[in-house]
Amino acid sequence: MKKCIGFLLVIVLMASCGEYQKLLKSNDYQLMYKKAIEYYNKGDYQRALNLLDGIRTVFIGTSKAPNIAYYRAFCNYNLKDYAIASDLFKQVIQTYPESSFAEECLFMMGFCDYKASPKPRLDQAVTEKAINEFQLYLNRYPLSGRKDKINGYMDEMRDKLSYKAYLSAKNYYQREYYKAAVISLQNCLKDFPGSKYREEIMYMLFVSKYQMAVNSVEEKKLERYNNAREEYYYFADEYPDSRYASDVKKKYDEIDAYLKNYKFED
């Protein structure tokens, strides 16, 4: 009985493959369109896409053209070709701006790039692109039911950008490139003021300025010690009970001693 069922399944599959191969070579474009949608609804996205790719130019300027563009974009999305899908959703919007698909495609354009967003240590151009696309969606559809979901995605991606900036700045700090660290850490605070790493960033910024002062040539010491002292005040004011408080205070005492001695010598 099991062998019989298996044999029947093989026959069905062979018949299905034969039908599909005939469709690919067919000139019956209406049938190809109908079958492409059937394949799509069954979850056979690759076959649906192959058929749609074969007929898309045939239906340009017809009522089926927006549907074909829409389904091609979703086929690529479901096949996890997110970069291609995002571009195709964008094409739908640009080519058929008055289409009933426009709002959904604008959301999907951003969502595809959100899905393609890489790990924090990698280049984040796609992440920034997704944020911009989601913001465009919210600007156009401020009352959308997707608003809360999109804001959640955007917060997640901003955290990723913040983390990447933090890692980059920390790398300079750990390698003792303090001048570069100061610039990167200041940019972190400017670009991501609410970063979850803010306390550590401010601590590293203070230490970097302190180290620049300690290791400076004599003619630049005064200015750099003053800069370090100013950074201490910012840190101590914002994080009076910091886990770094002991180390920060010790370094501040050294800064203060230098500046007092400097004034005494003057």
Side-chain angles (χ1 to χ4, degrees), residues 14-138:
M14 288 178 66
S16 174
C17 289
E19 179 191 32
Y20 171 68
Q21 291 300 324
K22 287 179 181 179
L23 281 170
L24 290 176
K25 300 173 183 178
S26 173
N27 291 323
D28 189 342
Y29 303 121
Q30 296 292 344
L31 178 61
M32 290 175 73
Y33 174 82
K34 177 184 175 183
K35 290 295 184 179
I37 304 306
E38 287 181 8
Y39 279 128
Y40 180 89
N41 289 333
K42 290 178 182 178
D44 194 341
Y45 303 114
Q46 189 60 64
R47 286 186 176 182
L49 180 60
N50 292 341
L51 290 173
L52 292 169
D53 283 345
I55 62 174
R56 66 187 182 87
T57 57
V58 176
F59 287 97
I60 290 175
T62 72
S63 60
K64 286 185 171 62
N67 292 350
I68 291 172
Y70 174 84
Y71 279 109
R72 286 181 70 232
F74 265 104
C75 281
N76 278 279
Y77 166 74
N78 285 301
L79 291 169
K80 301 188 186 323
D81 291 333
Y82 298 123
I84 294 174
S86 179
D87 287 342
L88 290 176
F89 282 120
K90 183 177 181 180
Q91 287 178 27
V92 175
I93 298 163
Q94 291 177 334
T95 310
Y96 312 103
E98 303 303 320
S99 164
S100 60
F101 303 136
E103 179 180 348
E104 183 181 10
C105 286
L106 183 54
F107 167 75
M108 289 302 301
M109 188 170 72
F111 187 66
C112 285
D113 286 328
Y114 162 77
K115 296 285 282 186
S117 177
K119 294 180 180 179
R121 293 181 184 276
L122 301 177
D123 181 78
Q124 295 298 311
V126 173
T127 306
E128 293 174 350
K129 182 169 175 276
I131 290 173
N132 291 334
E133 288 162 347
F134 276 144
Q135 189 58 60
L136 177 61
Y137 178 91
L138 292 176

Side-chain angles (χ1 to χ4, degrees), residues 210-237:
Y210 163 81
Q211 291 292 350
M212 284 181 66
V214 170
N215 298 302
S216 180
V217 294
E218 195 60 41
E219 57 265 27
K220 293 185 178 180
K221 279 186 180 290
L222 177 61
E223 178 186 1
R224 289 181 174 177
Y225 269 109
N226 276 317
N227 288 339
R229 180 172 63 178
E230 184 177 15
E231 201 62 50
Y232 164 81
Y233 291 142
Y234 291 139
F235 182 88
D237 182 62

Side-chain angles (χ1 to χ4, degrees), residues 146-214:
R146 297 184 175 101
K147 183 176 180 179
D148 290 343
K149 183 184 294 185
I150 288 174
N151 281 328
Y153 295 147
M154 292 174 73
D155 286 343
E156 181 183 335
M157 288 187 289
R158 288 191 185 105
D159 281 345
K160 185 182 290 187
L161 293 178
S162 170
Y163 185 51
K164 179 175 176 59
Y166 157 79
L167 288 176
S168 177
K170 188 173 184 178
N171 181 52
Y172 287 124
Y173 174 81
Q174 290 177 328
R175 294 166 66 190
E176 300 183 2
Y177 295 162
Y178 295 117
K179 187 173 182 179
V182 166
I183 295 170
S184 292
L185 291 163
Q186 287 175 332
N187 286 336
C188 282
L189 294 174
K190 178 183 176 183
D191 296 338
F192 307 102
S195 170
K196 65 177 72 174
Y197 311 104
R198 183 177 177 85
E199 181 181 353
E200 185 179 358
I201 289 170
M202 291 188 68
Y203 167 72
M204 289 190 293
L205 181 56
F206 164 70
V207 174
S208 294
K209 289 189 174 185
Y210 163 81
Q211 291 292 350
M212 284 181 66
V214 170

